[in-house]
Every structure is written in structure tokens, then in C-alpha cells.
Amino acid sequence: MNRRKFIGRSAVLAGASVLPYQSVEARSQQGELPIIKPKALAVGDTVGLVTPGSALVGDAEAKAEANMKALGFKVVKSKNYNVRTGFVAGTDQQRVDDLHEMFSNPDVDGIVCARGGYGTGRLLQMLDYDLIKRNPKVLLGFSDITALHYAIYQQTGLVCFHGPVASSEFSIHTTTDAQRVLMAGDRAVIKRPLTWEEKSAESYQYMRLVDGVAKGQLIGGNLSIVCSMLGTPYDVDYTNKIVFLEEVGESLYRVDRMLTQLLNSGKLDACAGVVLGVFASCRAKSGGVDDDHYVTLTKVLKDRLGELNVPVIYGLPIGHIDDNSTLPIGIEAKMDSKKGTLTLLETAVC
């Protein structure tokens, strides 16, 4: 019997159409630490800019600082900010030192990654998780920063924020969403911007791959980085969680391969639901292994995830796009396929 179908049928027989939020006791039994919520940010607060992955290029450095000041924050840059060493922003030790300094500095209220890129995963074994746990702060970023979110959440229980990096395009949606989640502490509703109705690209269309409603703690990030966490001490248990994923610039056969890896590993067997953001510029290569006469993003997603027995939706504003929502990892949320929404059920900051 198909294991995914068996698990889904078992849940229905048990009357578990909407899985419950995990209590502290339940998390403890699964070997997970209690949730720690960081202090909300406010206008006038100081945010520390760090580059734990790749270095900024061109005018991105000035743009990152301007974006933070536009949100009303004072800005301080890490000691080794944007140092270039090969394809990463400084040596591993320099980038770890910068993160430790920002977490331990009492004058820094929150930490924003200026860019993703590559290299964050190299730092995970070097981080002082006890220091981070003693000094909980907002940590914001996405893409390669997914590795940092996973490790810190898994090792400390600190809620981390998958959202724009400082050098992102801060559209009205991106700005408003970040303010609501990080500053106002709203129980935000993540849904497609009205302006997306004008978008014709396949990657921006909404898909109800499997209908349903589900509750669970949020976990997820960039698909490539999520797959790279498998088998490491920093991976996170997906049991009863809503898993969100996004990707950019990958050929469709690679998207298929990564989703297959998640399925083969059993990672999605007991999750509560799957929310897919925008898989920007993920296309078939004409004349290649995924010839565009035969393969589309829709076909790949339906083939790989369409038989899961939990709700699966595609096309929310999450990912390498201008309208990038801020999602708090570890916070209880509810997804609804018919409404096309992902709703935070509790505040992510204190």
C-alpha cells in the first residue's frame, strides 16, 4: 500500500481533519525545545546588518541600509560586513563572529541578513547556540538563510523569520507584511496580492493541489536548502507542521528531484500540510532532460505532491519575488486551500 495514502486514511479514521498545535509537552516528547519569541521591533530600534552568506554586489550595500532606514530603524553593520573571501562574505570565522557579536550586543535590537547567496550552511557547527538562546532577537532573511533558521530554531527553540533580506525589493506588500509580523505582532493573513491577478506567468498562478484545511507550526524555506539539511543534526521534524517551500532558477527536473528526495526520506509523511510559494524562473530546458514540450511546473507539482493526503497549495507570496511575505518559523498557523490563505494564529513576537 502507498504509505502516504495509508497515513492519510489513518488520520481521517481518527477524525483528525485539522491537526492540533503542538503543546510544550508534545514538543518535548519529540525532542524539540519550547518556543522562544523575540522582542518586537519598533521604530527607532537598532538593527544589525550581517552577511552570513555571499557578499553584496553593486549598489546592493547602499540599498540594504536605505531599506532598513525607510522602515524607521537605526542601522549598525557587523565588523566584517561584506568582506569578500572567494564566493562568501568573509571567512567562516569572521561570519560566525559577526553573528555572535550581533546577538550578544545589548544595543542591537534585531538582526537582518543583507543577502542570502551561499555559505550559511558552513557556519552551523561553529555557532554558539547557548549564546543565541540567552539573547533572543528577531533574525530576518530567506534563501540561503534557511540553513541558519533551521539550525537556530532546532537548537534553541527561537522563532526565526523567513522574509526579505535587507537588499530585497521592498514592495508595499513586503513592507506592510514585515511591519505587521515583526513590529505590530499581528496575526497576519498571508494571501495573494490583488495585483497578481494581472500576472500570466505559470509560476504566479494559484493551484489547489490537494484541498483541505490544516493547522500546525510553520517550518520551511528554500527547497534546495531544505533538502541540504536532511541527515544533519540541524534538520527539523515535520510531524504535524505546515511546511512552506519556495525556489528560484532551478530547472524543473531538479525541482522534481528535490521533491522526490523529500518524499523518499519520509519527511512529508506526517506533516499537516504544504504551502508552496512562487517557484520563480523554474522552467524546463528545451531539448534537455526536461524538454518544455512535455514538462511544466504544474505537471511536476501535481505529479510529486498531488497524492499527499494533506492540503497542498501553490502560489502564495513567498520567495525570490518582490512581494515576499514574512513567515515566523515555529509559530502556529492555519492554511485553507479554498480561501487561498495562510493565517498566523498567534503573535510571533513578545
Side-chain angles (χ1 to χ4, degrees):
M1 177 181 289
N2 184 305
R3 188 163 182 252
R4 286 177 280 158
K5 292 183 178 180
F6 173 78
I7 290 172
R9 288 169 186 159
S10 298
V12 171
L13 291 172
S17 58
V18 178
L19 294 170
Y21 176 57
Q22 291 176 284
S23 64
V24 171
E25 293 77 10
R27 284 176 55 80
S28 178
Q29 290 173 2
Q30 294 177 20
E32 297 185 15
L33 298 171
I35 290 295
I36 300 173
K37 296 181 181 181
K39 180 179 70 73
L41 295 177
V43 171
D45 278 354
T46 297
V47 297
L49 292 183
V50 293
T51 47
S54 295
L56 297 162
V57 295
D59 63 353
E61 185 170 353
K63 183 179 180 181
E65 187 172 358
N67 281 338
M68 294 301 97
K69 290 182 177 179
L71 288 170
F73 300 133
K74 299 173 185 175
V75 174
V76 59
K77 299 175 183 177
S78 61
K79 179 181 178 180
N80 302 295
Y81 183 70
N82 213 34
V83 171
R84 301 199 66 161
T85 302
F87 39 63
V88 293
T91 66
D92 293 350
Q93 191 62 58
Q94 285 176 321
R95 289 177 289 133
V96 165
D97 288 345
D98 283 359
L99 285 167
H100 288 166
E101 168 60 23
M102 288 301 181
F103 272 105
S104 61
N105 188 340
D107 296 325
V108 172
D109 300 293
I111 304 167
V112 182
C113 300
R115 185 189 174 189
Y118 169 74
T120 306
R122 293 170 49 152
L123 312 181
L124 304 188
Q125 291 184 324
M126 302 170 63
L127 289 172
D128 185 341
Y129 294 101
D130 287 335
L131 180 151
I132 294 170
K133 188 173 183 178
R134 292 195 305 269
N135 300 276
K137 298 178 183 181
V138 163
L139 175 66
L140 177 65
F142 80 115
S143 192
D144 192 61
I145 309 304
T146 297
L148 199 58
H149 290 329
Y150 262 59
I152 290 176
Y153 171 75
Q154 197 274 342
Q155 295 287 317
T156 71
L158 176 63
V159 173
C160 297
F161 297 85
H162 181 280
V165 292
S167 60
S168 290
E169 293 293 335
F170 275 74
S171 68
I172 293 175
H173 174 93
T174 301
T175 300
T176 301
D177 209 53
Q179 290 172 326
R180 292 179 63 190
V181 175
L182 301 175
M183 302 172 76
D186 286 353
R187 301 178 182 183
V189 179
I190 310 302
K191 58 184 179 180
R192 292 165 58 80
L194 292 177
T195 54
W196 283 21
E197 297 300 322
E198 302 172 2
K199 294 183 179 293
S200 58
E202 181 190 22
S203 58
Y204 277 92
Q205 303 313 303
Y206 182 66
M207 304 180 208
R208 291 159 51 183
L209 299 172
V210 182
D211 272 327
V213 176
K215 286 183 182 179
Q217 288 170 301
L218 288 172
I219 185 65
N222 177 259
L223 177 60
S224 298
I225 305 303
V226 165
C227 287
S228 77
M229 303 302 287
L230 293 172
T232 73
Y234 311 105
D235 196 10
V236 178
D237 185 2
Y238 287 0
T239 301
N240 294 342
K241 291 184 174 66
I242 293 176
V243 181
F244 66 90
L245 301 168
E246 62 84 23
E247 191 50 88
V248 61
E250 293 285 1
S251 183
L252 289 179
Y253 83 90
R254 293 182 177 178
V255 172
D256 185 287
R257 181 174 64 197
M258 288 185 283
L259 293 176
T260 299
Q261 186 177 7
L262 290 180
L263 294 172
N264 286 343
S265 68
K267 288 294 291 183
L268 301 179
D269 285 353
C271 72
V274 179
V275 174
L276 305 172
V278 173
F279 283 42
S281 301
C282 291
R283 304 184 182 94
K285 291 184 178 179
S286 181
V289 70
D290 54 355
D291 194 289
D292 57 9
H293 291 293
Y294 304 99
V295 178
T296 64
L297 176 62
T298 302
K299 289 179 180 179
V300 169
L301 296 179
K302 286 183 176 179
D303 178 70
R304 294 290 72 203
L305 302 177
E307 293 187 8
L308 288 178
N309 282 273
V310 295
V312 183
I313 58 177
Y314 172 90
L316 264 59
I318 307 165
H320 290 70
I321 50 178
D322 290 350
D323 300 318
N324 188 11
S325 300
T326 298
L327 299 183
I329 290 174
I331 291 301
E332 182 186 17
K334 177 182 177 181
M335 62 178 293
D336 188 318
S337 66
K338 292 185 178 179
K339 293 181 179 179
T341 56
L342 177 64
T343 304
L344 303 185
L345 297 180
E346 58 177 321
T347 179
V349 290
C350 60

